[in-house]
Amino acid sequence: MLLFFTLGLLIHFVFFASIFDIYFTSPLVHGMTPQFTPLPPPARRLVLFVADGLRADTLYELDENGTSRAPFIRNIIMHEGSWGVSHTRVPTESRPGHVALIAGFYEDVSAVAKGWKENPVEFDSLFNESKYTWSWGSPDILPMFAKGASGDHVYTYSYDAKREDFGAQDATKLDTWVFDNVKDFFHHARNNQSLFSKINEEKIVFFLHLLGIDTNGHAHRPSSRDYKDNIKKVDDGVKEIVSMFNHFYGNDGKTTFIFTSDHGMTDWGSHGAGHPSETLTPLVTWGAGINYPQRVSADIAPLMTSLIGVPFPLNSVGILPVDYLNNTDLFKAESMFTNAVQILEQFKVKMTQKKEVTLPFLFTPFKLLSDSKQFNILRKARSYIKHRKFDEVVSLCKELIHLALKGLSYYHTYDRFFLGINVVIGFVGWISYASLLIIKSHSNLIKGVSKEVKKPSHLLPCSFVAIGILVAFFLLIQACPWTYYVYGLLPVPIWYAVLREFQVIQDLVTSLLTYPSSHFVGYLLVFTLGIEVLVLSFFYRYMLTAGLTAFAVWPFLTRLWTRAKVTSLSWAFFSVLLAVFPLMPVVGRKPDISLVMGAGLLVLLLSLCVVTSLMKRKDSFRKEELLVHLLQVLSTVLSMYVVYSTQSSLLRKQGLPLMNQIISWATLASSLVVPLLSSPAVFQRLFSILLSLMSTYLLLSTGYEAVFPLVLSCLMFVWINIEQETLQQSGVCCKQKLTSIQFSYNTDITQFRQLYLDDIRRAFFLVFFLVTAFFGTGNIASINSFDLASVYCFLTVFSPFMMGALMMWKILIPFVLVMCAFEAVQLTTQLSSKRIVWVCRRHHVLNILFPLLIPLRQLLACTAWLFIYISASPNRLWIPSDPGLDLNLLHAIRACISHYVIVMSMTIFLVFLNGLAQLLTTKKLRLCGKPKSHFM
């Protein structure tokens, strides 16, 4: 059984990983020859200031008094240097932003798994090509360029990571530390002959990473006084450093200064997505080799390499902004020619690599840049230089660069169509097989249609074996990566399993033909409409509101209204109430602790009502259970206190109190244990789970979202009751009180039933509630929707993985509530996870692929998978172009990929969440003595 469980998860992980393997492979190539301009550079040294998280508009605009927040930078713009707005790309995070600045290409996505502190792939950079580089700043940024450098010429000086505290009294100290250490460094150099000689060499770089603005933006928002005052501090610091450099080098005019940012920040203090406030960053350059004031756009990496005369970074795809250069036309033309040759070298290497692993008759070269065209352009450019037609050289080289970049994209995505075809074929096969198996083993749809059992033919397995061998041989002779074998061969056994069920397909078609056409078309339309609502809800959250409104009306269109008026009205009320949340703003809202306090008070009021009601039932409520409920009420009160006191402490800039931090982590740790001490009766256990998880959720809330789990849980309680009514209405069973039904592992599988049409509705409800739990208060598809303030009760020192884990748990808490409620629905409607295993053994299908469904451990969850897969829509894999070519297309691609990853993550998480839900609902602990077993 464990083997089958593992195989099932493996297939889903393959489908999940395919999107990254197809669309997020590294674009880097190796083996190029370094290219540099043969003429003397204008500068001997370069000073790079990167103000992390600085928005372009905030720097350039005047304050309320009509004066600049950065008077020194403003003076540079007006009188000394060139300036503009640089455009970063998604993800607008510190590491990819710095890689684009210093290495000249867009970060490889695999860096996410490394915490953005190491180099998952080797790449060249300006620092590596320099003779010496000295850098000061954050320990999250500096090491990645030093570790990737060849030799021992990149020196880093960083402060302790604990200084990056969002609750600190003064985040500007991070920038002050950098400025002070740079001054100390030059003071020390005057008394150190070895160091003095190094910093007087040519082709050297000084890098100052300034994190204070980003930290204040996260903690106080970009509109705050702290953020704007930090800009003034940075401006003063830059002024002092520039003055020190000029004095130290005797105003030799050989220093170039560049001031920019790695990314911007939204109004609500986050970044990571593609909003203009995140992608638009300032760029100010002055000093040696820089033109006088003008506004132009620029790729910074090639600009810096040209200014100090080092080779272009080998993997750079930036275009040299010649308008920034204050030099001879010959220098500009030679630099542009070198830039074009450097990018063309990458194109040639990429083409050679792809040609070597592709069969000659299948290889399709990039026709816009043939060998002859490359030769003609280079020859013509050299001729123009010889005849001093420098403007023509620049234009011709830009044309060559654009063609080379298109060619790089072409060969980088060369296998995308082949891989996409295989993944889609696997998707369709898996959905088909899961559908057939559910119909065959768990429904009455094809019962009695055909009793004839045909002897299996050997032709089918032999055919698929031959297909598998041909696919493997085709991949082998092309020396394809091992992942290509996975995507190419996986559909073979899946479709073999589908075609083995050919008799089921025939019986299903025969059965459907006997079904009334009007009913069939009606059910098909409803099914299609429901799927479309699910799909559209990933793009438009208000579709969840439409769906929940339809849910509210549902009981009044059936006989439920006549049988259970109170339950129907409760269902309609909480459905409409929950429908309000998708209409609320996702991002851009300010923290409102009063709403969190209000949610806590509602939880306390509900607890009082429930405990009072249960205490009246002396036969089913013991002192031990009363103690557990009082403990959970106390936990809720403590959570409210921690949220309020932490907010007050941070506003006073006194940091996170240690006692609050201890209480927060203790509450989180106990939230999954305390419910196990409560009664296993359905109502008591579900209410205990709600109280425990709400205590943690309050600590992770900053506004209206604190009320969401409470409303969702109320709807889940009504859902359990209304499903009982629907089952009683169909005459399948009699209604039992929830206080008398107990969760238990020990269930009698002979009491369970086959699937009915109404069970498809229940499965759809489950998936819809899961999607609502996911998108009800936010949108994980957009990185900037995360608010770091959510985790301030637990920690304020920057820790990406810990903060990410806490925010992920906040997202999963509504999931857990839905899955626990679904456990109760399954129990009260007489469908159990035990039956699926029993049916598998009875029908001897464990030797095929059916055990891959066993990890779900419940029959309706298997049906829910079908909805999830169909919602994923395999055609969303088809992406027509490269993300780097068009920003609007990039946004659409990112959205599609994000939604695909979300759906696949939900599918995989469903397995683990179901296991967690079963643990929370069925396990019983006692405060003293031996645990007591409970039976229905």
Side-chain angles (χ1 to χ4, degrees), residues 411 446 548 731 742 886:
Y411 288 117
I446 62 172
L548 289 168
Q742 292 187 335
D886 184 85

Side-chain angles (χ1 to χ4, degrees), residues 903-932:
V903 172
M904 292 306 297
S905 300
M906 288 172 63
T907 306
I908 296 172
F909 272 128
L910 198 61
V911 179
F912 300 103
L913 289 176
N914 179 239
L916 178 60
Q918 282 209 340
L919 175 67
L920 289 174
T921 54
T922 60
K923 186 67 176 177
K924 170 64 177 173
L925 299 179
R926 292 180 65 87
L927 293 175
C928 58
K930 296 182 179 180
K932 181 179 178 181

